[in-house]
Amino acid sequence: MNRTHVALILAVTLPPLAGCKSAALSFAADAIAQSGTSYASDDDPELVRDAVPFGLKTMEGILEENPRHVGLLTALTSSFTQYGYAFVQADAEQADLDGRIDAARAGRARAKKLFLRAREYGLRGLEVRHEKLSRRLRDGRDVAGALRRAEKKDVPLLYWTASAWTLAIVNGKGDMQLVAELPVAIAMMERALELDERWGEGAIHEFFVSYDATRSAAQGGGAGRARAHLDRALALSMNKKLGPLVSWAEGVLVQQQDRAEFTRVLEEVVRADPDAEPRYRLANILAQRRARALLDHVDDLFL
């Protein structure tokens, strides 16, 4: 029985005395916030898809009793973001490729809600760490000045909150008020990169592979910038992550209409062994799934 299971049992079975309950809930929150990487190393995406919602609701229930627990707020931010991206947004993107417009629209609407939920937990966590920071980020005024208060220990919250915020915008492009908030999310990610560019074995650089592909060189992005982030992301993960290659192919290579290189890169992803690095097994399996879907629709992506 792992620590999380013990914590949950204690949380629901200890006598309902104020002190005992508080201690049990605090222990449960710590345990869940620090739980291991069993999902990340799993080889069955469908099993994870079915299991994660229960864990999310469990965390939310414990958070109600311990609303300023930064570890739990961070875990909720990252977990809702990853679940929304890996399963809900991924399904919507597949529906887009297949021409199922209604399903794609419904999936993106749900994904947007999940990402906004994740963002709110992240902003709450940042507020616990730095009073009034959340308010200043929401206002969108002097964001750079507000973010100067952030420290290296804030990088996980900055990364996951900015990711959730950006993904909500991606899935809610008709919401112009939300779209106008993109500079805040990008400023948060840039601050995270400045504080710890190695965090997550290149996770922040992975973000910028996708983001810079959407901007021209004149706007500060472009293929050259995206390539630099790709190279750094791969170096920091020791070439064990497949996601950055899929982002590069889907973003830059489609934009450049380089079908031959697109096919080569994604076929390389598909041939990779997802068991080579257990820490990234689930993410790599999902990246291979996306690569296959893109290859199946190559004629739709290239003229």
Side-chain angles (χ1 to χ4, degrees):
M1 182 177 294
N2 64 31
R3 189 181 179 200
T4 301
H5 293 154
V6 173
L8 292 175
I9 291 169
L10 286 174
V12 299
T13 61
L14 282 181
L17 299 175
C20 292
K21 182 179 179 182
S22 176
L25 286 169
S26 178
F27 181 78
D30 288 341
I32 291 176
Q34 298 169 20
S35 58
T37 59
S38 60
Y39 285 161
S41 61
D42 204 285
D43 65 355
D44 188 336
E46 276 59 52
L47 179 63
V48 174
R49 178 200 293 265
D50 292 341
V52 167
F54 172 77
L56 291 172
K57 292 306 298 179
T58 299
M59 285 193 284
E60 287 187 319
I62 294 176
L63 183 68
E64 288 183 5
E65 301 292 335
N66 202 346
R68 293 177 60 82
H69 193 286
V70 174
L72 198 51
L73 287 164
T74 305
L76 279 163
T77 307
S78 66
S79 297
F80 268 109
T81 303
Q82 291 176 89
Y83 176 75
Y85 178 75
F87 300 113
V88 183
Q89 180 176 319
D91 285 352
E93 290 175 339
Q94 183 64 54
D96 265 337
L97 288 172
D98 295 341
R100 294 179 284 115
I101 305 303
D102 289 343
R105 185 179 297 115
R108 291 194 180 279
R110 182 173 178 235
K112 175 188 170 184
K113 288 177 62 177
L114 290 170
F115 293 135
L116 289 176
R117 194 166 176 169
R119 180 193 69 173
E120 292 308 301
Y121 286 127
L123 289 172
R124 282 173 59 181
L126 289 169
E127 184 69 18
V128 173
R129 285 263 178 85
H130 304 284
E131 187 177 359
K132 297 183 181 179
L133 176 56
S134 173
R135 184 187 309 171
R136 293 179 67 181
L137 293 174
R138 291 178 194 275
D139 288 346
R141 289 177 289 187
D142 190 24
V143 172
L147 287 171
R148 278 197 290 271
R149 300 170 60 196
E151 306 168 65
K152 187 173 181 178
K153 67 180 181 180
D154 299 316
V155 168
L157 269 173
L158 288 172
Y159 172 83
W160 289 115
T161 307
S163 294
W165 208 329
T166 304
L167 289 166
I169 292 167
V170 168
N171 287 277
K173 293 178 181 176
D175 184 342
M176 298 314 297
Q177 181 176 344
L178 181 61
V179 171
E181 297 169 356
L182 179 62
V184 180
I186 299 305
M188 293 172 69
M189 195 66 81
E190 288 174 340
R191 179 59 172 156
L193 185 68
E194 179 184 8
L195 288 166
D196 187 3
E197 64 99 18
R198 302 179 66 90
W199 183 82
E201 284 100 1
I204 305 171
H205 288 285
E206 292 179 52
F207 174 91
F208 282 106
V209 173
S210 296
Y211 178 62
D212 282 339
T214 68
R215 304 187 299 160
S216 68
Q219 295 170 319
R225 286 287 298 273
R227 181 75 215 196
H229 285 296
L230 173 66
D231 290 343
R232 189 62 179 145
L234 293 174
L236 289 171
S237 70
M238 299 181 69
N239 293 306
K240 299 297 185 181
K241 292 183 180 181
L242 301 177
L245 293 171
V246 178
S247 296
W248 168 257
E250 189 171 3
V252 173
L253 297 180
V254 171
Q255 187 178 80
Q256 294 179 338
Q257 287 292 282
D258 190 341
R259 179 169 179 157
E261 181 65 4
F262 174 90
T263 301
R264 186 196 69 76
V265 169
L266 292 187
E267 287 181 346
E268 176 185 329
V269 168
V270 170
R271 288 195 302 270
D273 178 8
D275 296 324
E277 181 51 72
R279 290 179 301 159
Y280 307 135
R281 185 182 287 120
L282 179 61
N284 283 342
I285 290 172
L286 292 170
Q288 289 180 318
R289 181 176 291 183
R290 181 63 177 169
R292 291 188 186 96
L294 291 168
L295 288 169
D296 286 344
H297 290 82
V298 67
D299 290 336
D300 301 322
L301 298 171
F302 292 87
L303 300 177

